[in-house]
Amino acid sequence: MFSRFLSLFNRGMRAYKVQDFKREKRVGVTATTFKELIQKGCEKLQLNPKNVTVVLEDDGTLVDGDSFFKKLPAQTVLVFLKEGEKWGGAGALIHDALSKLYNVSKKNEIAEQIREMLAGEGAPEKVHIISQYLELLQTDPESEYRYENEDWFEGLNKKYKTKQEVLRHSAQTRIRSYFNSAKEQIDKDGNVETKEVLADLLDNLNTRLKKNDFHGSYFDRTAKASDRLCDKHGWFQCEGPFDSKRCDSFHTINPYASRGYRQLFGLWNLDHVIEKSREVLPTLLEAAKQRKKHEEINWEHVYKLLFTRNNLKLVQVGCHKKAARTQTCNIGDFLVSS
C-alpha cells in the first residue's frame, strides 16, 4: 500500500530488481512502464533488448506487457532471459542444484520429491519462502537507498537514507554504550586521589573514539575490509563463545537483506572476551591507585580492551555465554613510565 502511495509522487515510478539467467548479477532499476524496465534492465545487465524475455523469479511467469507489469509490487525480482534460456522458478532451481550435486539414484529421488512437494498443495507459499531465502543469499549491494526498499527502513527515523547509515549508527550506539557504562563505573568507584588522572583518561578515550567515528565501520559493509566485521555484501559470521576459537554452529546473518534480519541482528552481541565491568575496569581503578609519580595510565591499552577487536567478538545470542571467565588483566599493562 505504501509503495503504491509513494509511486503517485514519483509519477508511477517504482523500484524493481532485475537479474540475468545465471544469477551472476542483480541490480535495482526504477521504471514506470514495461518498455522502460526492459531498456534500463538491459543496459544494467548488458543484454540486447531485441531478444530478451522477462519472467518472474518466483515461478517463471512470463511478463509481456504493461497490463501485468503494472500490477507487480515494488521490489519484485525479474529475470531477463536471452534466446534459448528457460527459467522454471525457485523450485526448478533447487531441483537442478540437487541433481547436479548428487548423482546417485537415491539422492536424485530426494530431489524429485522436493520438486513434487513444490508442485503440490500450498506450492505458491513454499516457493515464496524459498524465493525469499534465495534472495537473502543474493543480497544486492546496489540495493542500498531508502527509496529502493522502504520496507527495510520501516520504523526507522526518516533521516536515514541508506542501509549503511543505519548499520553504522547501530555499531556506534553499542560502542557509545561501552564508553558511558565505563564512565559511570569509574565515576562511582574512583576516589579523590585518582579523580584527575581518570578524568584525563576518559577525555583521551572520548577523543580517540570521535576520531574513529565510534567504530561505525564495524557494521558498515562499504568500509575497508580491515575495519568491518562483515564481507562486502553485508554477511556477518558468529565468532563463537568467548572461550572458543570459532562458532561450531556456523551462525551467519545479513542484516542488509531484510527488515527481519536487521531486527534479529540486534540480538547479536559485541562481547568483551576479558569482561569489561568485572575485570578491565576494576583493574584500571586499581592501577590508578597504585600508580607512582613517574607513571601514567596507559589509556591506549584501555581503549583496545574496551572498544576494539583486540577484545571484542561478534557473537550470536545462542553462543553468548554468561558463565564466569578466567581471562584476567595485568595491572602492569595499565601503567607506563612518563
Side-chain angles (χ1 to χ4, degrees):
M1 179 65 73
F2 181 82
S3 61
R4 291 182 181 179
F5 179 73
L6 185 64
S7 69
L8 295 175
F9 292 90
N10 295 332
R11 298 181 181 179
M13 184 80 69
R14 284 190 290 182
Y16 303 89
K17 295 175 182 177
V18 300
Q19 69 177 46
D20 59 12
F21 175 73
K22 295 182 179 180
R23 301 178 65 87
E24 292 177 345
K25 189 174 185 181
R26 176 182 286 189
V27 296
V29 298
T30 55
T32 56
T33 65
F34 183 60
K35 182 178 179 180
E36 184 180 11
L37 175 87
I38 291 180
Q39 177 186 351
K40 291 184 176 180
C42 287
E43 287 178 359
K44 291 282 185 90
L45 299 174
Q46 298 181 331
L47 298 174
N48 184 349
K50 293 182 179 180
N51 64 353
V52 160
T53 301
V54 179
V55 299
L56 298 181
E57 183 204 32
D58 282 5
D59 58 5
T61 299
L62 178 68
V63 183
D64 60 359
D66 270 331
S67 59
F68 181 47
F69 170 70
K70 290 185 177 180
K71 294 179 181 178
L72 299 176
Q75 299 303 321
T76 295
V77 182
L78 300 154
V79 184
F80 280 45
L81 304 176
K82 295 186 293 187
E83 188 174 352
E85 293 178 337
K86 295 182 179 181
W87 184 267
L93 186 68
I94 292 174
H95 174 268
D96 292 343
L98 284 171
S99 297
K100 290 177 182 177
L101 187 60
Y102 306 116
N103 291 320
V104 297
S105 59
K106 183 65 176 178
K107 291 180 180 178
N108 271 327
E109 289 175 14
I110 295 173
E112 196 61 41
Q113 289 172 6
I114 291 175
R115 187 167 190 169
E116 289 175 3
M117 176 193 71
L118 292 173
E121 185 178 352
E125 181 180 359
K126 296 168 187 173
V127 170
H128 177 67
I129 292 171
I130 293 172
S131 178
Q132 284 185 316
Y133 179 69
L134 291 172
E135 183 175 351
L136 175 62
L137 294 176
Q138 294 291 329
T139 302
D140 178 14
E142 296 186 47
S143 176
E144 176 56 37
Y145 295 95
R146 189 168 197 140
Y147 72 86
E148 294 179 308
N149 192 349
E150 186 68 32
D151 179 68
W152 191 93
F153 291 85
E154 184 177 327
L156 298 177
N157 193 301
K158 293 295 183 182
K159 70 178 182 179
Y160 298 118
K161 305 302 180 184
T162 67
K163 294 177 180 179
Q164 265 86 280
E165 291 175 351
V166 175
L167 270 299
R168 285 190 70 88
H169 180 260
S170 176
Q172 291 168 339
T173 298
R174 299 193 191 204
I175 297 301
R176 282 194 177 96
S177 72
Y178 295 158
F179 175 79
N180 291 334
S181 62
K183 184 177 185 303
E184 288 177 7
Q185 189 167 341
I186 288 172
D187 289 343
K188 177 183 176 182
D189 297 336
N191 57 34
V192 177
E193 290 77 14
T194 61
K195 183 177 180 179
E196 184 177 347
V197 69
L198 290 174
D200 289 341
L201 167 89
L202 290 170
D203 285 342
N204 286 329
L205 295 180
N206 194 39
T207 299
R208 178 63 62 84
L209 284 171
K210 289 179 179 178
K211 181 180 179 181
N212 291 331
D213 197 26
F214 287 86
H215 294 284
S217 59
Y218 284 165
F219 296 168
D220 184 352
R221 64 181 176 182
T222 65
K224 292 191 301 183
S226 58
D227 294 337
R228 51 180 158 83
L229 293 170
C230 59
D231 68 12
K232 64 181 180 180
H233 299 295
W235 281 97
F236 292 83
Q237 293 185 344
C238 173
E239 296 177 313
F242 69 89
D243 55 355
S244 301
K245 292 184 178 180
R246 66 177 185 273
C247 170
D248 291 332
S249 299
F250 302 101
H251 294 125
T252 59
I253 193 169
N254 190 333
Y256 288 87
S258 71
R259 173 165 49 90
Y261 284 99
R262 168 176 64 77
Q263 293 169 335
L264 283 175
F265 188 60
L267 299 176
W268 285 52
N269 296 282
L270 267 178
D271 190 28
H272 288 92
V273 178
I274 302 176
E275 289 185 289
K276 171 174 63 69
S277 300
R278 296 181 182 177
E279 185 63 31
V280 176
L281 294 177
T283 306
L284 165 65
L285 292 168
E286 186 60 32
K289 293 177 183 177
Q290 296 184 20
R291 181 180 65 94
K292 297 180 174 58
K293 291 184 178 180
H294 66 280
E295 293 178 324
E296 295 180 353
I297 296 293
N298 185 354
W299 68 267
E300 290 186 331
H301 179 66
V302 178
Y303 186 94
K304 289 180 180 179
L305 291 175
L306 293 181
F307 310 119
T308 75
R309 295 167 68 180
N310 292 67
N311 192 41
L312 289 174
K313 295 181 75 174
L314 184 66
V315 181
Q316 196 259 13
V317 62
C319 283
H320 187 213
K321 293 182 179 180
K322 296 184 178 181
R325 308 186 182 187
T326 58
Q327 294 90 336
T328 60
C329 294
N330 184 351
I331 290 180
D333 293 331
F334 285 80
L335 299 170
V336 292
S337 298
S338 57

